[in-house]
Amino acid sequence: MSTSNASETVTPTSDLSSSSLPTVSTYNVPTLIPIKLHRDNYMLWKELFIPVLQNYDMLSILDGSAPAPPRFLPLPNLSLSTTENPAFTLWTKKDRTCKIWLHASLSESILPYAVGCPTARDLWLTLEKRFANLTRSHVLQLKSRLQTLKKGSATMLDYLQSLKHIADSLAAAGAPLDTSDFLAHALSGLPSDYDAFATSIRVRSDPIQPEELHGLLLSEEIAVENRLTHIPPSDSHLHAFHTPQSSASSAPSPQALNTYSQSSRSVPRSHSSFSSSRPNNFTPRPTHYNSNFSRKPKCQICSKLGHSALTCRQRLNMAFQGPTPPSSLTQNTTPM
């Protein structure tokens, strides 16, 4: 081990005299580990860190397979005298270097856990105790969210972004989601309007990637919206006539009746059938006859325009006195 400008250099083997072996500076270690440890990515961080430690013969410091040797060696002739053990000095430098590497790979929120850890192994065990179980619990929560995630009323883009966020979180926690599992969860969360589309994806012989599924789902969303909002123009007047009315009025509105009458006039009749059915003294009605059909109805109870007796407010009011009938209707009646 040699020092240069306050940076230690470590070889990937215990033979420190070999200059042909690759070396690494403690300042360059963060570049070998692309992420820092956070609360929810311990498994991924550990998976990336262990190969670096193995390559530079540092893992034995953390796993306990290379414990610290005695600090002093007794002299052969003087049992009361001791001397510094060179192996302990080398082990101390490696342990300190490994601890520096750990510090360099921790995020700012995790650094307080390094307080009170005298050796690199103590820090390693503290991190494993703090975050291993937390990461497993986090993975289970993410998988549960993935299984229960539904599109619902959200847009397709928001739904796909939620799926990708959960998949990215699982990858960061060290449990990446398989492509087939991602497709299965994405299709199972779609509403029934997408059943035909989901079936076509499941029966495909060639595999589909999530990026391709993203574009297909966005296109299918537009097609589903068009199917749900489209009404054929030829059936629009019948749709208006047969629409159920509210509980307050079960009779069709004058506008619907007018629309229906106009559509009826547009149907051509056979000249022979019409002429054979009319009497000899038939007189054609004025051309403005059909326009009277669109006039507002007059109630037979209260004599007001705009509604019929069936929808009149007073039809169940026994105390209501309607208009006086004409004398021609009452002069021939006799009391009972």
Side-chain angles (χ1 to χ4, degrees):
M1 171 128 4
S2 61
T3 59
S4 176
N5 297 329
S7 64
E8 299 179 1
T9 304
V10 180
T11 60
T13 179
S14 57
D15 185 9
L16 302 177
S17 61
S18 178
S19 59
S20 60
L21 297 175
T23 60
V24 60
S25 172
T26 56
Y27 292 121
N28 296 330
V29 171
T31 61
L32 303 178
I33 306 175
I35 64 172
K36 290 182 177 292
L37 176 62
H38 296 276
R39 296 181 181 274
D40 55 357
N41 67 341
Y42 173 78
M43 295 297 182
L44 180 61
W45 171 83
K46 182 179 179 180
E47 188 70 19
L48 296 175
F49 204 157
I50 286 180
V52 178
L53 297 172
Q54 291 173 334
N55 192 55
Y56 293 99
D57 194 25
M58 303 292 284
L59 186 60
S60 59
I61 299 293
L62 299 180
D63 61 12
S65 60
R71 182 174 181 179
F72 299 102
L73 294 176
L75 293 176
N77 298 330
L78 301 175
S79 59
L80 299 179
S81 300
T82 56
T83 184
E84 188 80 16
N85 186 359
F88 177 80
T89 303
L90 178 61
W91 184 91
T92 302
K93 289 184 178 180
K94 291 182 66 175
D95 180 79
R96 185 169 61 246
T97 301
C98 189
K99 194 174 181 181
I100 293 174
W101 288 7
L102 288 173
H103 290 167
S105 65
L106 301 181
S107 63
E108 186 176 355
S109 61
I110 308 300
L111 281 175
Y113 292 102
V115 177
C117 299
T119 64
R121 175 168 171 77
D122 293 333
L123 177 57
W124 182 263
L125 294 177
T126 298
L127 296 176
E128 184 176 14
K129 181 180 179 181
R130 294 277 185 177
F131 300 109
N133 293 333
L134 181 63
T135 301
R136 295 189 190 98
S137 176
H138 184 60
V139 169
L140 293 177
Q141 291 177 357
L142 290 174
K143 289 185 176 181
S144 177
R145 285 178 53 193
L146 190 63
Q147 293 174 356
T148 57
L149 183 64
K150 302 296 181 182
K151 178 183 178 296
S153 59
T155 63
M156 184 61 69
L157 185 59
D158 292 339
Y159 172 67
L160 293 175
Q161 287 178 348
S162 299
L163 283 173
K164 187 177 184 302
H165 176 72
I166 297 177
D168 293 343
S169 299
L170 284 172
L177 195 64
D178 187 73
T179 301
S180 59
D181 293 336
F182 179 85
L183 297 179
H185 288 299
L187 296 177
S188 63
L190 296 174
S192 59
D193 298 329
Y194 295 82
D195 287 347
F197 173 81
T199 302
S200 65
I201 296 298
R202 292 189 180 99
V203 299
R204 284 184 56 165
S205 58
D206 54 327
I208 183 173
Q209 296 301 318
E211 294 78 9
E212 184 180 358
L213 180 67
H214 183 277
L216 293 176
L217 283 175
L218 292 179
S219 300
E220 184 65 16
E221 180 185 28
I222 299 175
V224 169
E225 291 178 353
N226 290 337
R227 289 197 299 267
L228 293 178
T229 58
H230 178 68
I231 300 177
S234 59
D235 298 337
S236 59
H237 64 282
L238 296 178
H239 175 77
F241 182 74
H242 292 291
T243 300
Q245 304 296 320
S246 61
S247 58
S249 175
S250 59
S253 63
Q255 292 80 3
L257 291 173
N258 188 26
T259 305
Y260 185 75
S261 64
Q262 292 176 358
S263 63
S264 301
R265 293 199 309 269
S266 62
V267 178
R269 295 186 177 181
S270 174
H271 176 73
S272 58
S273 60
F274 178 75
S275 59
S276 61
S277 60
R278 66 183 184 182
N280 296 329
N281 58 350
F282 173 78
T283 303
R285 293 181 179 271
T287 57
H288 59 80
Y289 169 74
N290 287 336
S291 62
N292 296 334
F293 190 75
S294 61
R295 293 179 181 177
K296 294 183 178 180
K298 183 177 181 180
C299 178
Q300 294 88 347
I301 298 177
C302 64
S303 299
K304 293 183 179 181
L305 297 178
H307 65 276
S308 62
L310 184 61
T311 59
C312 183
R313 299 182 182 179
Q314 309 297 340
R315 68 188 183 93
L316 299 179
N317 185 5
M318 299 303 177
F320 176 74
Q321 297 294 332
T324 304
S327 58
S328 59
L329 297 179
T330 61
Q331 61 183 358
N332 295 327
T333 60
T334 59
M336 301 202 41

